[in-house]
Amino acid sequence: MNQKLIQELALLTSEARNPDTQDIDLLPTEDILGKINDADREVPPAVYREIPHISRAVDAIVEAFKSGARLIYMGAGTSGRLGILDAVECPPTYGVGEDMVVALIAGGSEAVYRAQEGAEDSFELGGEDLKNIGLTPQDVVVGIAASGRTPYVIGGLRYARQLGCVTVALSCNRAAAIAAEADIAILPEVGPEILTGSTRMKAGTAQKLVLNMLTTASMIRLGKSFYNLMVDVKATNEKLVSRTRRIVMEATGVELQEADRVLSQCEHNAKLAIMMILSGLDRREAEIALRNANGFLRRALQTLGMKTSPATPAESAKPEVRERCGEEAVY
């Protein structure tokens, strides 16, 4: 078994030795950091080459969301933690339920903080974890594994595919075994790490970029933005309250006092406040208009025959705008 695994790893570019960092143990700090930065620059182009596959995954995720189904990430180690990071940011950022994007990690919650040895080596555990959250055929399952051979992820993808789910494999190796287990394979091959096999580095960065794209593009497709403003953000702390006020002011051009007045009428719902201000509708009428437009603010306004022109980035950066919003809104 060990000999077979050694042979498998030898085929993976993420496990190869990086010719550019052979002398890294002898370098001064600044030169080490330069090597790391040089290596990191290889990541965005690798992700860019995968955009056609990422696009297919986003389209599948959007359809799942529209039907009330879920996006489910599963991985082990760094890959699992990156899935969790992306999933937990969705409710406050986009105002969605906590069960819309779900993340599973081999070994459970303990594995978030400490390595759970052996958990990722179980094919059965991947399927069991999906059963335990009540996986349905309408859900989309994204298996994340830098190496592309993690048994936990392979087992999960196999179970999901048998159930009829759309499955997505995310790995940083063209020879990834999980690619054969999924309907869509996203494989940004970033090459050898600066320290051999340390896939939390370039591979982890590539995975994070892809996960950002999957949820961000999907949420935009669901109407969670107005132009490039994050209008479904939940105002759950002082910073987010200030950010919500700033969003309303930038979208409508009103002063802080007016933004606060309307926000107070709709439980600090930025999208609804913008709709009320720009349309002149009361809360109930604005809610109906948004519902008829499936939550798309710009579409709802256009249906009413209204033109919109939010502040440009240059305008929103002016000192007077920062003063109106409050300095705390910009951090």
Side-chain angles (χ1 to χ4, degrees):
M1 175 62 182
N2 288 340
Q3 183 63 34
K4 181 183 177 183
L5 179 54
I6 290 173
Q7 292 172 345
E8 288 179 1
L9 294 178
L11 298 174
L12 305 177
T13 58
S14 62
E15 300 293 326
R17 295 185 67 180
N18 192 325
D20 296 328
T21 58
Q22 296 289 346
D23 61 345
I24 201 166
D25 56 331
L26 301 176
L27 297 178
T29 300
E30 196 166 319
D31 290 345
I32 291 172
L33 298 177
K35 292 281 189 182
I36 294 173
N37 188 246
D38 286 342
D40 286 342
R41 295 181 196 188
E42 300 170 9
V43 176
V47 172
Y48 179 80
R49 289 191 288 271
E50 292 300 302
I51 283 180
H53 306 295
I54 299 170
S55 178
R56 287 181 58 206
V58 168
D59 288 343
I61 292 165
V62 170
E63 289 307 309
F65 285 161
K66 286 180 178 178
S67 70
R70 300 168 293 176
L71 166 61
I72 299 168
Y73 293 137
M74 59 187 315
T78 297
S79 297
R81 296 182 191 103
L82 288 170
I84 292 170
L85 178 62
D86 197 64
V88 300
E89 291 290 344
C90 288
T93 305
Y94 301 112
V96 299
E98 294 184 358
D99 60 347
M100 189 170 176
V101 184
V102 179
L104 303 174
I105 184 170
S109 57
E110 283 294 313
V112 175
Y113 303 99
R114 298 179 186 84
Q116 300 297 301
E117 304 298 341
E120 69 176 70
D121 295 327
S122 171
F123 289 95
E124 294 76 17
L125 185 59
E128 289 172 9
D129 281 356
L130 289 173
K131 290 177 185 177
N132 290 337
I133 63 167
L135 185 70
T136 73
Q138 290 73 40
D139 294 327
V140 174
V141 176
V142 178
I144 315 166
S147 67
R149 56 150 306 278
T150 307
Y152 172 81
V153 176
I154 291 175
L157 288 173
R158 285 177 180 172
Y159 173 74
R161 211 170 184 186
Q162 289 170 1
L163 199 63
C165 301
V166 173
T167 51
V168 181
L170 172 55
S171 175
C172 293
N173 284 285
R174 288 288 168 189
I178 62 172
E181 306 291 343
D183 301 305
I184 303 167
I186 301 171
L187 306 172
E189 193 165 54
V190 295
E193 301 287 358
I194 63 149
L195 291 178
T196 306
S198 182
T199 51
R200 72 184 184 89
M201 301 292 287
K202 287 195 296 181
T205 300
Q207 290 173 324
K208 177 69 167 66
L209 292 178
V210 172
L211 298 180
N212 284 348
M213 295 168 85
L214 291 178
T215 47
T216 302
S218 295
M219 295 299 176
I220 291 171
R221 289 278 315 280
L222 291 178
K224 298 294 183 180
S225 69
F226 178 56
Y227 291 81
N228 61 351
L229 295 174
M230 201 166 57
V231 291
D232 272 330
V233 62
K234 281 187 177 179
T236 54
N237 60 34
E238 287 188 15
K239 179 184 73 174
L240 294 177
V241 168
S242 293
R243 184 172 289 162
T244 301
R245 297 159 83 192
R246 182 183 180 193
I247 287 169
V248 172
M249 293 169 69
E250 289 189 348
T252 64
V254 301
E255 298 293 329
L256 178 59
Q257 184 177 0
E258 176 65 6
D260 280 344
R261 184 187 71 81
V262 181
L263 282 166
S264 68
Q265 297 177 8
C266 53
E267 286 76 49
H268 238 78
N269 182 322
K271 179 188 284 184
L272 185 55
I274 294 167
M275 184 68 196
M276 292 169 64
I277 293 169
L278 292 181
S279 68
L281 301 175
D282 63 26
R283 175 173 176 168
R284 180 175 175 278
E285 292 169 334
E287 287 175 334
I288 292 172
L290 283 171
R291 187 162 57 248
N292 290 341
N294 295 317
F296 283 82
L297 179 50
R298 194 178 335 194
R299 190 178 298 166
L301 291 166
Q302 289 173 340
T303 299
L304 296 173
M306 299 194 61
K307 294 181 179 180
T308 56
S309 55
T312 66
E315 290 171 335
S316 64
K318 291 178 180 178
E320 59 267 26
V321 174
R322 292 200 300 271
E323 289 171 7
R324 297 200 325 257
C325 297
E327 288 296 334
E328 73 275 12
V330 300
Y331 70 84

